[in-house]
Each structure stands twice: as C-alpha cells, then as structure tokens.
Amino acid sequence: MLGSIPDLLRLVAVPVFGWAAYRDVKTRRVPNRTWTPLAVLAVVLLLWDTYTVWTGPTAVGRRLFLIRVAISLGFVIPLSYGFWLVGGFGGADAKAFMLIAVLFPVYPVYYLSTVALPLQATAIGVFSLTVLSNTVLAGVVYPLAVAAGNLARGRFSLAMFIGRPVAAANVTEEYGRLLESPDGFDRSGLDLDALRMYLRWRGCSLADIRADPDQHRRPTSLPAVPNDPGDGSLATDGGDPVADDGDGPADHDAGADETDRPDHIDDPWGAERFLDDIDHSAYGTSPAQLRDGLDVLVEQDEVWISPGIPFLVPMFAGLVVSLTYGDVLFSLLQAVGLA
C-alpha cells in the first residue's frame, strides 16, 4: 500500500478504534488515556498537512483544504459535544468523533496495485462527515439484527427491535436498561449501572431484595452508613462487587411504626435518599425510575432489557468502510439521482 506519510500514519487509528469498540461491548468503559496518543498524532499530522498544502503550488488547493478542515473542526466537533450534552453520546463516543474530526478532516488516499482507496468520495470532500454518515448507517443495522434474532427465537414484544429478555435475577450481570415499568413497555426504564450503584450503596444483592421486597421497601432497611456506590461497572471489569461490606442494613425492627408499612412509605426503596446521598449522579436516574425498576424486578421472573448500541462499534465499522469503500450514503443518493 502506498500513500503519503501522514495518511499512512493515520491508519494507526484503525486498531485503536477496534480495541475501543471491543472494550465498549465488554465493559461500556473506555479509558481516557486511549485517546491521548491519537489526539497528539492527529494535531501533528494536521499541522504537517497544512504546511504541505500551504507551500504547494496552487491557491485553489489551499482554499479547498482550509474550507474542508474548517467544516470538520467547526461542525463535527461542536456536533459531537452537543450530542454529549443532551445525552445522545457517551463521553468516549464524543471524544472519539472529535478525534476523527481532527485526524481525518480531508480524504486520505491509499494506492493499491490496481485501485486507489477510498473508492467513493463526496463532492464536499470532508472525510470526517463520511465517517459520521457511515456510522449512522451502521447503527441502523443494529435494531434490524436484534429484531431478526428475536424473531428466530420466537420472542415477540414491543421491545423486540431494541432489546432481549433475560432472567430478572441476572440483570445485574448485564449492561443496558430495563424496557419495562409496572405499566408495561417503557423505553426510559432503569439504567442497570444505576441499579448496581444502588445495591452497593445499600449493601445488599438483588437476590436479597427479591427474597423480601416488602422489607426492603421500608426506610428502616436502609444502612445507617451507606457504602460507596462506585460507578456501576461489573466486578469482572474492575468495578466493585455488589456486596454487603459496609455497616449493612439497619435493624429491621428499629423505629418501625404504622408509617413504615409498605402502603404508607413516603420514600419506597429509599430511592430519594440514595440519589440525594450521591448528589443525583446515577446516570440521570430519577427516584421514580429506580422505584419502578425495582418493582418490576421483584415481581417478574423475566424482563426485557435494551443493551443499547455500544456506539464505538458502528463507529469502528463506519471508519473501516470509509477507508475502503468510501461514502455509502453519497453512493445511495447518486443511485437515485439526488447527488
């Protein structure tokens, strides 16, 4: 493979994004240090290309290059940050797209023996936009694949396009969120990371709660000194196991009175106390979401969960497709006469 030195060095991003996608699937966590070396490389290569173009022979080439870089940095980076602000992207997703905006502002070119890659370029020539559009198209495939898998297994539900059923007792071993509330299907169900944080905070397991839900709804079941909730990661991923390693629940009989009956509890499950204690930082979880999720988990044996789309996976696929084929959306628009 032949190409300019900066373009060849940009290929270092491919295995890094592949590793980050793998981590996203397995742990939903990508260390910040993953992006630092690539960010430094991206800035160096952008400056290298800028110097090469600026000292080149044509003013037209300089203008086009600067316009494309301006679009990549001035549009893709703010867009990624905006999606992160509204919760559409995770932190790693936003950092990855910002990195692509700096690392791939214009189309790279790789020469093989009989062809030059990418095969399909766009008229605007901003490569980070190509990666973005290919990522979106790759993400669209996800719900179709989920639905096909559920159909093949005879699973039918309103959630079949975005989720799968699991045993309620095992949800603490999963990533994602519940797709159920006491009223039925709910796309805004309890985040399972928040559930793990809650269980660790109160020093018990989901099995304990399922064994005696009425008792655990009462304020007197909460620990006198709560545990550190952690970040909700699974113990196998370096997170803390959900276990009773603090002072444990309070004496179940201490202070019990008529207002501590399940139908008189002001704060069932201690949901408000938990969120107040951790400064409302359980991935945007509300007391109502936590209560509804716990009510579902103690009443049902099987629940639907959405693992969500580990966004770095379609991003990695979008990057690989962009570097080889090019812009899929542009090709589709050309096929129907719209580009």
Side-chain angles (χ1 to χ4, degrees):
M1 178 183 291
L2 298 176
S4 69
I5 293 176
D7 283 349
L8 291 174
L9 289 174
R10 286 181 171 95
L11 293 178
V12 172
V14 176
V16 175
F17 271 79
W19 179 85
Y22 172 79
R23 286 277 302 179
D24 204 16
V25 170
K26 291 295 184 180
T27 70
R28 295 300 197 272
R29 303 235 180 349
V30 179
N32 286 329
R33 63 180 180 274
T34 303
W35 312 116
T36 304
L38 275 184
V40 173
L41 177 65
V43 172
V44 170
L45 296 181
L46 180 58
L47 293 175
W48 186 336
D49 279 344
T50 301
Y51 174 79
T52 300
V53 171
W54 197 256
T55 56
T58 66
V60 174
R62 289 194 291 272
R63 285 197 298 270
L64 278 176
F65 175 80
L66 293 177
I67 289 172
R68 288 164 176 166
V69 170
I71 293 173
S72 187
L73 303 186
F75 178 74
V76 177
I77 290 179
L79 180 68
S80 302
Y81 183 71
F83 270 108
W84 173 76
L85 281 179
V86 301
F89 280 172
D93 305 328
K95 291 170 188 173
F97 256 128
M98 292 178 186
L99 177 60
I100 284 177
V102 181
L103 189 60
F104 290 105
V106 299
Y107 268 74
V109 181
Y110 303 102
Y111 298 98
L112 302 181
S113 57
T114 59
V115 70
L117 301 177
L119 298 174
Q120 177 66 69
T122 62
I124 194 170
V126 179
F127 192 69
S128 59
L129 291 180
T130 289
V131 177
L132 177 60
S133 66
N134 284 343
T135 297
V136 171
L137 290 177
V140 170
V141 174
Y142 174 79
L144 299 178
V146 170
N150 284 325
L151 281 173
R153 294 171 177 83
R155 301 167 178 169
F156 299 95
S157 166
L158 290 174
M160 64 183 294
F161 284 90
I162 57 174
R164 58 187 175 86
V166 299
N170 297 333
V171 296
T172 54
E173 300 302 317
E174 304 284 348
Y175 282 110
R177 67 172 58 243
L178 288 178
L179 291 173
E180 300 184 45
S181 73
D183 297 325
F185 173 70
D186 186 354
R187 292 194 62 176
S188 300
L190 175 62
D191 186 287
L192 299 183
D193 281 357
L195 172 64
R196 279 185 286 271
M197 292 175 65
Y198 168 78
L199 293 173
R200 177 159 177 78
W201 173 84
R202 68 176 295 163
C204 68
S205 67
L206 181 58
D208 296 332
I209 288 180
R210 283 172 55 83
D212 193 353
D214 286 342
Q215 180 58 51
H216 285 85
R217 283 188 177 94
R218 295 180 174 130
T220 50
S221 71
L222 297 176
V225 180
N227 302 306
D228 180 353
D231 65 357
S233 60
L234 293 173
T236 54
D237 300 325
D240 295 320
V242 176
D244 182 3
D245 59 357
D247 289 341
D251 184 349
H252 295 328
D253 296 324
D257 57 26
E258 186 71 11
T259 61
D260 199 34
R261 286 169 38 198
D263 56 346
H264 286 77
I265 297 172
D266 290 332
D267 183 20
W269 303 110
E272 286 189 24
R273 179 178 163 185
F274 162 64
L275 293 170
D276 286 341
D277 191 53
I278 66 169
D279 195 25
H280 296 78
S281 57
Y283 303 101
T285 301
S286 69
Q289 283 177 313
L290 180 54
R291 293 185 190 116
D292 286 349
L294 290 167
D295 286 341
V296 168
L297 290 172
V298 299
E299 292 169 3
Q300 299 187 27
D301 292 328
E302 186 177 79
V303 294
W304 282 79
I305 67 167
S306 170
I309 301 177
F311 203 70
L312 285 173
V313 175
M315 192 183 302
F316 172 62
L319 176 60
V320 172
V321 171
S322 299
L323 288 169
T324 52
Y325 178 79
D327 198 298
V328 176
L329 179 60
F330 188 75
S331 293
L332 294 175
L333 293 176
Q334 277 189 324
V336 296
L338 296 177

